[in-house]
Amino acid sequence: LESDVLRTVQLLPGTVAKNDYSIGYNVRGGESDQNLIELDGITVFNPSHLAGLFSTFDDDAISRVDFFTGGFPAGDGGRLSSVLDVKLRSGDPHKMDAHGQVSLLSSKLLVEGPLGHGGTTYVLSGRRTYADLMVKALTPYELPYYFTDLLGKVTHPLGRGTLSATGYWGRDVLGLNLVEAAPGRDPLDLDFNWGNALGGLTYTHPLGRGVFQQQVSVTNFSTTLGLLPNFAEFNNSATLITARSDVSVSPNRPHDVRIGAGFEHYAMTYGAKSLSLETSFFQASYHPTIWSAYVDDQWHTGNRLLLRPGIRVEYVTGADFVSIAPRLSFKYFLTRDLALTGSAGRFYQAIQSIRDQEVPITIYEFW
């Protein structure tokens, strides 16, 4: 139907597609919620639309994708199986450009160009499914579902460094009237909507033979499932606020060392209630804070062997738990185009999804 970066990931070694329909994938026996998916380093809780048929990423706005299937660097934490970091590209610094695409189920438009004359650039992408509009225009029926998303990045030179801002907003909406209003009877509507909203700032500054990077971000996933206006309603919200600082240095040619520290605060809530019955069926919340520090060294021992030792230490409030997670990976080149890789390590994950992992169609995770 249209190109999708996550369908490419499904084909990579160590990765298994959950089915032929959705973009979900498992890595080395893990579950889907054990895969960390990021956009410019910002966590994306639910990276899909239309029950997993599309991902939330516009291929035209992507510059590169880093994918680690086990043994991932010490700077990445919070998941057990894999890390997928999707990097957005900067906009065209010379001229404004716009182009679009129409597929069988959606249409999208990307606009990019410079902002002023100081080297600032932007790239902005929008997408919406139009199946509901086509059905309404061509038939007497209505399709009660649509999704839409917006994706953008602004890059600004700041002194010797660079400041970039990344943002994303996306929503899936399903609305259906089940019972029409009548004298003495209230209407009953199915309202089902879910989506992500995230934003982050990243400042990068060169330091001699190294680079300093500071990032702050906030990401939220929320969903509402209700029989409205007052029969029953279920809500699930997951918010993550992060801050991370690290320094990458090359003290000598064989070593590339990365040292950093991070902060993550989660706010996850659940609720199920009925206004008409004046009762609350279930209420819960989860608010851990994770403090972390890490050291990662990419060591070129010679022409054939590449080693990557590292260690990550985390403290989780609430659980009052300290984790020490050493890890080591290697790549040995038999020839220029053929290498053996391996890794070993200890990994921790403080959050999880409680949905049934065996269900083939994934609408979203219940974080």
Side-chain angles (χ1 to χ4, degrees):
L1 297 177
E2 66 178 56
S3 59
D4 199 305
V5 63
L6 290 190
R7 293 200 179 275
T8 302
V9 169
Q10 288 179 329
L11 303 176
L12 297 178
T15 306
V16 178
K18 297 171 63 177
N19 53 68
D20 293 332
Y21 170 79
S22 74
I23 60 171
Y25 60 91
N26 295 346
V27 174
R28 304 193 186 282
E31 303 290 357
S32 61
D33 67 331
Q34 296 174 3
N35 303 317
L36 176 61
I37 299 177
E38 299 178 319
L39 179 67
D40 278 350
I42 308 170
T43 299
V44 182
F45 284 106
N46 181 56
S48 67
H49 290 300
L50 195 58
L53 184 62
F54 295 112
S55 77
T56 56
F57 308 117
D58 182 358
D59 287 10
D60 294 335
I62 296 174
S63 65
R64 60 176 289 168
V65 176
D66 294 325
F67 185 48
F68 299 94
T69 57
F72 40 86
D76 298 304
R79 298 295 191 275
L80 298 179
S81 292
S82 72
V83 174
L84 174 70
D85 190 7
V86 178
K87 302 289 188 182
L88 296 183
R89 63 181 178 87
S90 299
D92 191 324
H94 305 295
K95 60 182 177 62
M96 178 181 175
D97 183 35
H99 58 274
Q101 177 178 314
V102 176
S103 69
L104 293 177
L105 289 179
S106 69
S107 58
K108 61 184 179 179
L109 176 67
L110 184 142
V111 181
E112 62 178 320
L115 281 175
H117 303 284
T120 304
T121 64
Y122 72 92
V123 57
L124 179 65
S125 170
R127 177 174 57 171
R128 189 191 191 280
T129 181
Y130 55 85
D132 58 328
L133 302 178
M134 294 294 291
V135 170
K136 185 176 182 179
L138 301 177
T139 74
Y141 306 102
E142 292 189 7
L143 180 66
Y145 169 83
Y146 70 91
F147 74 81
T148 183
D149 53 22
L150 294 172
L151 178 68
K153 181 176 183 178
V154 176
T155 306
H156 175 68
L158 192 62
R160 295 176 54 210
T162 302
L163 178 66
S164 63
T166 299
Y168 171 81
W169 176 86
R171 208 74 191 166
D172 291 65
V173 177
L174 173 63
L176 182 63
N177 176 251
L178 301 177
V179 178
E180 294 184 357
R185 183 182 66 189
D186 292 331
L188 184 63
D189 297 322
L190 172 65
D191 181 20
F192 191 14
N193 66 86
W194 64 96
N196 290 282
L198 61 87
L201 293 173
T202 302
Y203 176 67
T204 304
H205 187 82
L207 294 174
R209 300 181 64 179
V211 175
F212 167 77
Q213 186 175 83
Q214 173 68 52
Q215 184 180 63
V216 293
S217 66
V218 59
T219 179
N220 171 263
F221 166 74
S222 62
T223 183
T224 299
L225 172 59
L227 294 175
L228 304 180
N230 55 19
F231 184 73
E233 184 175 350
F234 168 82
N235 292 281
N236 176 208
S237 175
T239 300
L240 170 61
I241 300 173
T242 63
R244 182 169 62 185
S245 303
D246 63 46
V247 178
S248 301
V249 295
S250 299
N252 50 60
R253 189 170 182 178
H255 291 271
D256 295 309
V257 181
R258 183 183 177 195
I259 304 172
F263 161 87
E264 303 171 54
H265 177 70
Y266 292 88
M268 298 183 171
T269 60
Y270 306 83
K273 63 183 179 179
S274 173
L275 295 178
S276 61
L277 299 178
E278 298 182 349
T279 184
S280 175
F281 302 112
F282 181 73
Q283 295 288 334
S285 62
Y286 184 53
H287 301 273
T289 297
I290 302 175
W291 299 89
S292 62
Y294 50 87
V295 178
D296 182 73
D297 179 17
Q298 191 159 243
W299 180 16
H300 303 262
T301 63
N303 293 330
R304 291 183 178 271
L305 181 61
L306 175 66
L307 291 175
R308 191 161 195 171
I311 186 169
R312 183 180 182 89
V313 180
E314 294 182 337
Y315 171 67
V316 184
T317 65
D320 194 25
F321 179 75
V322 176
S323 66
I324 301 176
R327 55 198 68 178
L328 173 67
S329 59
F330 76 88
K331 184 183 291 287
Y332 184 78
F333 290 89
L334 300 175
T335 68
R336 180 178 177 180
D337 302 314
L338 179 64
L340 298 177
T341 64
S343 62
R346 178 174 290 170
F347 303 87
Y348 293 88
Q349 182 168 334
I351 63 171
Q352 66 173 330
S353 169
I354 59 174
R355 74 166 184 85
D356 186 355
Q357 300 285 342
E358 300 302 320
V359 175
I361 298 178
T362 303
I363 297 179
Y364 60 82
E365 304 282 358
F366 292 91
W367 292 99

